[in-house]
Amino acid sequence: MTKTDAVPEGGGGRTPLVELDDVSKYYGNIRALEGVSLEVHAGEISCVLGDNGAGKSTLIKIIAGLHRNDSGSFTIEGEEARFANPREALDRGIATVYQDLAVVPLMPVWRNFFLGSEPTKGVGPFRRMDVDLMRATTHAELLRMGIDLRDVDQPIGTLSGGERQCVAIARAVHFGAKVLVLDEPTAALGVKQSGVVLKYVAAARDAGLGVVLITHNPHHAYLVGDRFVLLKRGAMSGSYTRDDITLDELTRQMAGGSELDDLRHELEGRGPA
């Protein structure tokens, strides 16, 4: 299987929402990323796969505005992006959902949904949070994504890991994100909960967002992905569209490709100890 620059049918040759071209990042003499390229189109899911230490976290931080790339180009809808902080990235429509979700477990679901962006009513000393609006909006937005919670007043810590991920996705959609970056959303979940989260990842794509799914699980990536970028030790080891790679080949690439074949031959060739 060879690397390809082909654009899948969903991209249609349109300007990507986010594009990284030959991006590198160094911390002193340590190479975190080198020569990495990624396209994120509206209505598509771009999956970034790699083991621990592959450079996935550094890539997330560049897109989210936490770090700046040292070389290469990072553009948003064709314009060069140089973020000073994550707020600037959010203002440009890039919402990042980290693995720890940054929720307050004892606060209700509606409070976490609006955390940091609470609507208010009243003026002057009578100004206060509009709790009724936040409750109603949270329930309606979750329902629009297909999430029917019994009670948005329950502490978010009482929800399952999959449900908390889904709340975070619905929040990003509500606040107008164009690009949704998901950091290993299924890493700590079982099979059933992972399926629930992937369903809502697909729902975000169907709502017109460009999604970046960071994962080390090729099976999860292939279920929903349109593009696949494989990272190994900070460099790209492959870039494919869905039409250009099978699940078996994607899994083989993630497992080490030729290195895995060499190991198998070596183990098969060994006699009993």
Side-chain angles (χ1 to χ4, degrees):
M1 186 68 63
T2 58
K3 192 183 294 188
T4 178
D5 293 322
V7 178
E9 189 175 3
R14 296 169 294 166
T15 301
L17 292 176
V18 166
E19 183 174 13
L20 284 78
D21 184 21
D22 203 25
V23 162
S24 298
K25 178 67 181 178
Y26 295 88
Y27 300 103
N29 293 326
I30 300 173
R31 180 190 75 177
L33 282 180
E34 187 171 53
V36 174
S37 298
L38 172 71
E39 288 186 10
V40 183
H41 289 266
E44 287 187 3
I45 297 174
S46 297
C47 300
V48 179
L49 299 101
D51 288 327
N52 293 337
K56 302 191 303 295
S57 295
T58 302
L59 185 65
I60 290 174
K61 290 172 183 175
I62 290 173
I63 297 173
L66 278 167
H67 293 169
R68 287 186 177 181
N69 49 299
D70 293 322
S71 63
S73 67
F74 172 27
T75 59
I76 298 178
E77 296 181 286
E79 297 181 3
E80 188 72 22
R82 300 290 288 178
F83 297 136
N85 53 61
R87 171 54 66 178
E88 291 187 6
L90 191 59
D91 290 342
R92 291 293 301 273
I94 298 177
T96 304
V97 178
Y98 293 99
Q99 198 169 331
D100 59 11
L101 293 180
V103 298
V104 184
L106 296 179
M107 282 186 176
V109 173
W110 62 263
R111 188 73 170 87
N112 276 278
F113 191 91
F114 281 93
L115 198 61
S117 303
E118 295 85 351
T120 59
K121 60 182 179 180
V123 294
F126 302 103
R127 191 180 185 88
R128 61 198 184 279
M129 291 193 303
D130 194 339
V131 175
D132 290 339
L133 175 63
M134 285 191 281
R135 283 195 181 109
T137 301
T138 299
H139 186 267
E141 288 300 308
L142 292 177
L143 197 59
R144 189 163 69 92
M145 291 287 291
I147 309 166
D148 189 10
L149 286 185
R150 297 178 299 279
D151 183 10
V152 295
D153 279 303
Q154 67 188 100
I156 199 168
T158 63
L159 302 182
S160 68
E163 288 172 327
R164 290 197 296 272
Q165 287 281 355
C166 297
V167 170
I169 293 170
R171 182 184 192 277
V173 173
H174 171 71
F175 282 102
K178 295 181 181 178
V179 176
L180 179 62
V181 183
L182 299 168
D183 176 21
E184 298 274 9
T186 61
L189 304 179
V191 174
K192 184 176 181 180
Q193 285 296 316
S194 294
V196 171
V197 171
L198 291 174
K199 182 174 74 170
Y200 295 119
V201 172
R205 173 199 62 200
D206 294 342
L209 277 71
V211 181
V212 181
L213 176 63
I214 310 294
T215 182
H216 64 269
N217 191 316
H219 294 272
H220 291 172
Y222 204 79
L223 276 173
V224 296
D226 299 291
R227 300 171 184 265
F228 308 94
V229 170
L230 283 77
L231 299 181
K232 183 178 181 181
R233 298 172 189 163
M236 288 177 62
S237 60
S239 179
Y240 308 94
T241 64
R242 187 179 185 88
D243 292 337
D244 297 317
I245 193 168
T246 64
L247 173 58
D248 287 344
E249 178 64 15
L250 186 65
T251 303
R252 178 179 174 276
Q253 293 278 352
M254 273 293 296
S258 60
E259 294 178 10
L260 188 66
D261 291 338
D262 292 342
L263 177 61
R264 186 178 69 249
H265 291 320
E266 181 181 343
L267 293 175
E268 290 174 349
R270 293 179 61 182

